[in-house]
Amino acid sequence: MASPGLLLALGLFMGLSVAAHAEPLDEPLKPLPPVPALDPRRVQLGQRLFHDPRLSVNNTLSCASCHRLDKGGADDKPQSLGFDGKPVEVNTPTVFNASLNFHQFWDGRVDTLEEQVHIVVTSPTEMGSTWEAVVKRIGDDPGYAKDFKQAYPDGVTLPNIQGALADFERTLLTPNSRFDQYLLGNTDILTPREKFGYQRFKEYGCIACHQGVNIGGNMFQKFGVMGDYIADLGNPTRADGGRFNVTGDEADRQVFKVPSLRNVAVTAPYFHKGSAATLEQAVEVMFKYQLGREPVGKDTELIVEFLKTLTGEWEGKPL
């Protein structure tokens, strides 16, 4: 029988990846699931609708106008501009991996992607349209009418438009980040500094809120546990109420859905009003206002290095 060393040498000589045979790590964070198998006709319809400005009242704004797939599925402005050219209330969260969130929107006011589509299309500050108008526009398009009939027995309807958009968004997962490869057993893919950044991320307690497969997106938390960030920032607005605007419960004031940290290095600016311009600033705010701690030495820098390993791929290319 060949020795383990000889087998390793043969594997390297033949170009085989030893890491590919490694066991997945037992960590509190988990790699992304595979893209779900959905009807490709419906997904393709959803992709077209996602880029179609006819969903807005004045044909100027599509989903892709704010959820820019070339900008990490978010926007590069603190607040996106609505159909009327005015800023909306909150920063646009990324659409990538949004299907893994337990609720949608910063204040978590809906549970499903279909409901999220409904709110955005009819919002007086976002798309400003009505479903009656949207269904007519899409139904009057011969290409859409034909393709919807092939994908859905009842053709162009409100639920089918919402369903197609939601199905497309369910395919917007970003696998194969370097950190996912690490979790799957390729421990050599991270540098020692990145690994140490991950350790510090856990040791400081960041992982108490940013956990699970989406590294966030599955719980609510008050923004400013150890200090009033919103008051210190100044110029408060209705959007700062967070969950309070949904429930009316004073305990929910300044409570928001914890955002996913996947692809966080490419989705600046940060927080619900885009108040942190850089990832370093965002980490420093978290240290002060969520943890009530001062980072030791270069720990902010190390955690940022770890966070950059969370950038995944879409259509086979890094975001």
Side-chain angles (χ1 to χ4, degrees):
M1 181 179 291
S3 70
L6 178 59
L7 290 174
L8 175 61
L10 285 171
L12 294 174
F13 176 75
M14 296 172 66
L16 300 177
S17 171
V18 176
H21 304 289
E23 291 294 322
L25 304 186
D26 183 16
E27 288 289 332
L29 302 182
K30 304 299 179 184
L32 281 175
V35 175
L38 300 170
D39 187 328
R41 297 171 300 179
R42 298 182 178 187
V43 171
Q44 288 165 10
L45 276 170
Q47 184 174 19
R48 283 165 59 189
L49 290 164
F50 189 84
H51 291 86
D52 197 327
R54 286 177 290 181
L55 268 63
S56 65
V57 65
N58 56 357
N59 300 318
T60 62
L61 198 68
S62 72
C63 305
S65 300
C66 301
H67 294 286
R68 298 176 57 182
L69 301 184
D70 62 339
K71 297 288 184 180
D75 203 345
D76 57 1
K77 296 183 285 291
Q79 281 93 36
S80 298
L81 303 181
F83 74 92
D84 56 2
K86 297 177 182 178
V88 299
E89 280 194 320
V90 294
N91 177 257
T92 300
T94 179
V95 71
F96 283 120
N97 308 306
S99 62
L100 304 177
N101 293 333
F102 80 138
H103 294 294
Q104 303 300 325
F105 297 114
W106 281 100
D107 58 16
R109 63 188 180 273
V110 302
D111 297 337
T112 69
L113 292 172
E114 287 84 353
E115 292 174 295
Q116 185 263 346
V117 168
H118 169 70
I119 293 292
V120 170
V121 168
T122 60
S123 166
T125 61
E126 295 180 64
M127 289 190 167
S129 195
T130 67
W131 281 109
E132 182 181 13
V134 170
V135 171
K136 186 176 190 312
R137 286 176 181 175
I138 300 304
D140 286 348
D141 182 306
Y144 269 130
K146 176 186 174 183
D147 292 342
F148 262 92
K149 197 63 179 176
Q150 292 177 347
Y152 297 91
D154 50 348
V156 178
T157 67
L158 184 159
N160 293 347
I161 292 174
Q162 293 178 353
L165 276 162
D167 275 359
F168 171 62
E169 291 180 15
R170 290 185 179 101
T171 69
L172 296 179
L173 303 186
T174 56
N176 209 38
S177 70
R178 290 174 54 238
F179 185 68
D180 278 343
Q181 295 177 56
Y182 170 79
L183 292 175
L184 290 170
N186 184 2
T187 55
D188 292 336
I189 199 164
L190 299 190
T191 69
R193 286 176 59 86
E194 290 165 344
K195 291 176 184 176
F196 191 55
Y198 175 45
Q199 286 301 121
R200 302 306 282 153
F201 180 85
K202 292 189 287 186
E203 291 165 358
Y204 276 112
C206 311
I207 203 164
C209 295
H210 293 287
Q211 23 82 351
V213 70
N214 213 17
I215 317 180
N218 60 359
M219 65 180 289
F220 294 116
Q221 180 58 276
K222 183 179 177 67
F223 190 7
V225 174
M226 305 302 292
D228 196 335
Y229 175 74
I230 289 169
D232 290 350
L233 188 65
N235 301 313
T237 66
R238 176 187 173 278
D240 294 318
R243 287 287 292 166
F244 172 79
N245 296 333
V246 179
T247 68
D249 186 341
E250 193 61 38
D252 284 333
R253 191 177 291 279
Q254 299 182 8
V255 170
F256 298 87
K257 181 184 70 182
V258 175
S260 166
L261 293 183
R262 287 192 173 276
N263 309 309
V264 69
V266 296
T267 56
Y270 304 103
F271 306 142
H272 69 286
K273 291 203 296 189
S275 54
T278 68
L279 195 50
E280 289 78 7
Q281 290 174 0
V283 171
E284 289 166 359
V285 168
M286 290 292 99
F287 266 118
K288 181 176 180 179
Y289 290 94
Q290 297 305 108
L291 302 176
R293 300 183 64 177
E294 288 287 333
V296 175
K298 296 183 179 293
D299 282 352
T300 295
E301 183 180 315
L302 291 167
I303 289 174
V304 167
E305 288 190 36
F306 156 65
L307 294 175
K308 290 179 178 179
T309 73
L310 302 179
T311 303
E313 298 179 352
W314 182 59
E315 295 187 331
K317 299 177 182 178
L319 292 181

